[in-house]
Amino acid sequence: MTLEDVNTFYQTYPLQAAVLTCGVKASLADCVAQIRSWTSSERAIELRRNAAYIIYGGIFIGLMCHIEYDIVFPHLFGTNHDLKNVVESVLFDNFVSAPLMWLPPVYFIKAVMFDYPLSEGLDKYLSDIRDEGLLYKYWAVWLPAQTISFSCVPDHMRVLFMACISFGWFIILSSCQSTGDSVVEAVTEETLAATTIEAST
């Protein structure tokens, strides 16, 4: 398979490409997060937790990325990569879509997968925002990444670019969303810095 084949696949089958890319990325990122938290007595991948991230990453994020970036955003903001379009797209995605659409579902999906009430999932989400700076971590990664995405990346490759960046973000989110309450052993500033650097390269 050549790079041209990959490019053609993303142009021809944007929805399938988005779901496949985001599902694989979410599973791998959660595996990395789980391995990082292994102890000497507990060294196994929690498959139910990983399945929650595959559902969230593949079905929800993959599908919604396709709908938002390939359908809704061109209608709202146009397809030009000018400064006005970039600023509007980045601000809308970070300050409207993220807190209302991108982040809450992972908490609800985990509530369903781990058999606790959806209201508890909502409480965990609000607690991570209030006590653990979840949105600040999100913005530290995604404001620079999406500025690059909306200004430089070809439209049909945007989901792939975002998936590459969100591999690092999913490790952060999965660490925040570990089986216990909120952030366990909070994500270090070095991890955030490294992820932000990746988003800029």
Side-chain angles (χ1 to χ4, degrees):
M1 178 177 287
T2 66
L3 290 177
E4 184 59 35
D5 293 332
V6 173
N7 185 61
T8 300
F9 176 67
Y10 277 85
Q11 280 185 311
T12 308
Y13 305 103
L15 176 58
Q16 295 89 331
V19 171
L20 177 64
T21 302
C22 293
V24 171
K25 172 265 305 179
S27 178
L28 291 176
D30 179 60
C31 286
V32 171
Q34 290 196 48
I35 290 168
R36 289 179 60 219
S37 65
W38 277 357
T39 63
S40 56
S41 60
E42 186 177 345
R43 301 175 68 85
I45 297 295
E46 190 177 348
L47 296 180
R48 188 163 55 164
R49 168 178 152 170
N50 193 257
Y53 276 92
I54 292 173
I55 292 170
Y56 173 67
I59 297 175
F60 181 79
I61 295 295
L63 176 62
M64 292 309 296
C65 275
H66 169 66
I67 292 172
E68 180 168 314
Y69 298 138
D70 297 337
I71 300 172
V72 175
F73 272 31
H75 178 72
L76 290 179
F77 307 118
T79 56
N80 295 327
H81 289 208
D82 57 28
L83 181 61
K84 179 178 180 292
N85 187 352
V86 170
V87 170
E88 289 177 345
S89 299
V90 170
L91 293 180
F92 185 91
D93 209 24
N94 279 271
F95 296 101
V96 178
S97 295
L100 298 179
M101 185 178 75
W102 294 126
L103 293 173
V106 70
Y107 291 80
F108 296 136
I109 290 170
K110 282 198 72 179
V112 171
M113 297 290 287
F114 285 93
D115 299 318
Y116 57 82
L118 293 178
S119 60
E120 186 176 338
L122 178 61
D123 289 342
K124 287 178 181 290
Y125 173 54
L126 296 176
S127 173
D128 281 348
I129 291 175
R130 181 180 60 250
D131 302 328
E132 306 297 345
L134 176 64
L135 287 176
Y136 294 111
K137 292 178 173 72
Y138 183 93
W139 294 327
V141 173
W142 288 108
L143 282 171
Q146 289 180 331
T147 299
I148 295 170
S149 175
F150 289 115
S151 60
C152 303
V153 178
D155 292 344
H156 70 281
M157 298 300 286
R158 183 166 293 135
V159 172
L160 177 60
F161 174 80
M162 302 297 266
C164 292
I165 302 303
S166 70
F167 181 83
W169 166 248
F170 259 65
I171 294 172
I172 295 171
L173 181 60
S174 184
S175 297
C176 289
Q177 265 281 295
S178 62
T179 314
D181 294 334
S182 298
V183 177
V184 178
E185 305 277 295
V187 180
T188 63
E189 290 299 320
E190 289 82 1
T191 303
L192 277 174
T195 310
T196 305
I197 290 169
E198 285 180 18
S200 303
T201 57

